[in-house]
């Protein structure tokens, strides 16, 4: 999210912006907001119970990006938040990162760890009405959302396919088995021949705002996405103007597809959401992929990418569908 889109002029603006930057209202968390006026800002959230190794890794990665400044905000009671904020501040200070502000947020109020002037930072905290904040209004106008908590975001990806999807998947698997009975060696070629045009058609429909794929289409797509060439056809087509369409399509597919076939659509949704700046959705989709197949290569790659702290604009997707065609 660009700082030109959400103008953060005060600690109150920061408190209002963070739920929209991470996708939900944080609790028992510490958020590290890296700021760069030229390139925008990105936020990383950690549980207050995060182990030292993860904390050190995240702060080191943020420091390597050399942001113009960092704001740290802890959410929860002082006895739990303060030690965590102190740990984060210590790591950032040791790395030479400029700390612009350090805050604690609880029950709609915030306190600054850096300001001791009671005129601007009273002992009872400063109240922020996020719902009426101009920053929140700008975020909503820009299509951003802030759900009540992380669990609410997780619920948006819960499976909804049911018995009809199980029956459609059984038919799709039978179709694949028929290919294998005929000639096992030609199965990958058949999958590419069927899968690549299907992916292109569904993406074209999604970009036009047409109806989502049918149950039978989702079941067949889920089976075909096992082939990495088919999956990569969707991956390389993720361009910034169409990210909302990709998110809508892969969210629908992930919710419908049966569990064994969730890894590929979950990763595609995760990457599209990350590119669009929806970090919380990206991480939840990635968790779904890893729970389906902990060794899935794209999931492991995305995990490393997200932990690296690199903002989406710094990772161009240079491979084109034409490049993939040349490998077929």
């Amino acid at each position: 999210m660009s700082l030109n889109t959400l103008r953060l002029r005060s600690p109150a603006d920061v408190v209002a912006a963070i739920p929209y930057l991470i996708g939900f209202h944080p609790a028992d968390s510490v958020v590290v907001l890296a700021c760069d006026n030229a390139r925008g800002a990105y936020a990383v959230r950690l549980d207050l119970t995060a182990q030292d190794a993860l904390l050190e890794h995240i702060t080191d990665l943020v420091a390597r990006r050399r942001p113009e400044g960092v704001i740290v905000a802890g959410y929860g009671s002082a006895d739990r938040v303060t030690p965590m904020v102190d740990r984060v501040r210590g790591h950032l200070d040791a790395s030479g990162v400029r700390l612009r502000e350090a805050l604690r947020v609880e029950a709609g109020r915030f306190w600054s760890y850096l300001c001791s002037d009671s005129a601007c930072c009273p002992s009872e905290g400063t109240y922020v009405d996020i719902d009426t904040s101009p920053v929140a209004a700008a975020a909503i106008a820009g299509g951003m959302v802030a759900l009540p908590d992380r669990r609410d975001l997780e619920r948006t990806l819960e499976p909804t396919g049911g018995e009809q999807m199980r029956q459609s998947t059984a038919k799709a698997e039978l179709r694949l088995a028929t290919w294998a009975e005929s000639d096992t060696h030609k199965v990958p070629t058949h999958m590419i021949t069927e899968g690549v045009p299907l992916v292109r058609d569904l993406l074209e429909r999604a970009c036009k705002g047409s109806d989502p794929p049918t149950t039978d289409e989702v079941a067949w797509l889920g089976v075909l996405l096992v082939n990495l060439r088919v999956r990569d056809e969707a991956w390389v087509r993720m361009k910034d103007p169409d990210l909302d369409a990709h998110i809508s399509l892969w969210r629908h597919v992930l919710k419908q597809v049966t569990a064994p076939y969730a890894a590929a659509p979950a990763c595609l949704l995760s990457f599209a959401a990350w590119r669009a700046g929806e970090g919380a959705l990206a991480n939840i989709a990635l968790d779904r992929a890893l729970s389906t197949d902990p060794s899935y290569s794209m999931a492991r790659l995305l995990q490393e990418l997200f932990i690296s702290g690199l903002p989406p604009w710094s990772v161009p997707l240079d491979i084109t569908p034409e490049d993939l065609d040349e490998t077929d």
Side-chain angles (χ1 to χ4, degrees):
M1 171 53 61
S2 170
L3 289 178
N4 292 326
T5 303
L6 295 185
R7 299 184 182 278
L8 310 183
R9 299 184 176 90
S10 68
D13 288 345
V14 171
V15 172
I18 283 177
Y20 293 92
L21 291 172
I22 67 173
F24 58 92
H25 291 267
D28 297 323
S29 307
V30 62
V31 176
V32 180
L33 178 61
C35 310
D36 189 327
N37 289 331
R39 296 177 295 179
Y42 62 96
V44 180
R45 188 200 70 87
L46 292 167
D47 291 334
L48 291 180
T49 55
Q51 298 298 309
D52 283 338
L54 178 59
L55 174 60
E56 291 176 10
H57 183 57
I58 293 297
T59 52
D60 286 347
L61 289 169
V62 170
R64 287 181 207 166
R65 297 295 305 163
R66 291 298 170 193
E68 294 180 4
V70 166
I71 297 171
V72 177
Y75 288 78
S77 61
D79 61 315
R80 301 190 65 226
V81 167
T82 301
M84 183 62 161
V85 170
D86 286 344
R87 289 164 60 200
V88 174
R89 289 175 62 185
H91 286 297
L92 293 173
D93 183 63
S95 300
V97 175
R98 176 193 172 205
L99 186 67
R100 289 188 176 183
E101 182 60 275
L103 305 169
R104 183 176 73 85
V105 185
E106 184 181 19
R109 294 179 177 273
F110 72 85
W111 291 260
S112 172
Y113 288 102
L114 304 186
C115 178
S116 58
D117 185 350
S118 60
C120 62
C121 299
S123 59
E124 67 274 17
T126 302
Y127 176 70
V128 179
D129 187 347
I130 294 179
D131 293 335
T132 62
S133 166
V135 170
I140 294 170
M144 303 174 75
V145 297
L147 295 175
D149 56 38
R150 195 177 194 272
R151 179 62 186 135
D152 283 294
L153 192 56
E154 291 172 346
R155 291 190 185 99
T156 67
L157 299 184
E158 289 182 345
T160 59
E163 182 58 30
Q164 185 178 359
M165 177 55 65
R166 285 190 285 273
Q167 293 178 6
S168 292
T169 301
K171 289 191 299 183
E173 291 172 335
L174 180 60
R175 184 177 177 184
L176 192 68
T178 302
W179 287 348
E181 290 174 0
S182 174
D183 189 340
T184 301
H185 298 293
K186 290 186 178 180
V187 170
T189 301
H190 288 318
M191 294 179 77
I192 294 171
T193 302
E194 288 271 338
V196 169
L198 178 59
V199 167
R200 291 174 179 173
D201 177 60
L202 293 179
L203 286 174
E204 183 178 355
R205 285 161 50 182
C207 290
K208 291 179 178 179
S210 302
D211 291 337
T214 65
T215 300
D216 284 343
E217 286 176 322
V218 170
W220 187 223
L221 177 63
V223 170
L224 294 174
L225 285 171
V226 172
N227 183 284
L228 300 187
R229 171 63 181 87
V230 177
R231 182 204 68 193
D232 290 350
E233 180 69 25
W235 192 1
V236 301
R237 289 178 177 272
M238 291 184 184
K239 306 303 180 184
D240 290 348
D242 301 322
L243 288 176
D244 287 345
H246 282 269
I247 291 172
S248 177
L249 172 62
W250 298 117
R251 185 197 295 268
H252 176 80
V253 172
L254 178 58
K255 292 175 65 174
Q256 291 286 317
V257 77
T258 57
Y261 300 103
C267 283
L268 292 169
L269 172 60
S270 179
F271 186 80
W274 178 74
R275 292 283 298 188
E278 298 186 29
L281 177 60
N283 278 291
I284 288 170
L286 177 59
D287 288 346
R288 180 79 172 276
L290 289 168
S291 67
T292 301
D293 183 355
S295 63
Y296 192 64
S297 59
M298 185 176 177
R300 298 295 295 270
L301 177 64
L302 292 179
Q303 187 178 46
E304 293 181 11
L305 179 61
F306 295 171
I307 291 176
S308 76
L310 291 172
W313 42 259
S314 70
V315 184
L317 193 60
D318 294 329
I319 302 175
T320 67
E322 291 72 26
D323 293 331
L324 289 180
D325 287 339
E326 292 178 2
T327 67
D328 291 347

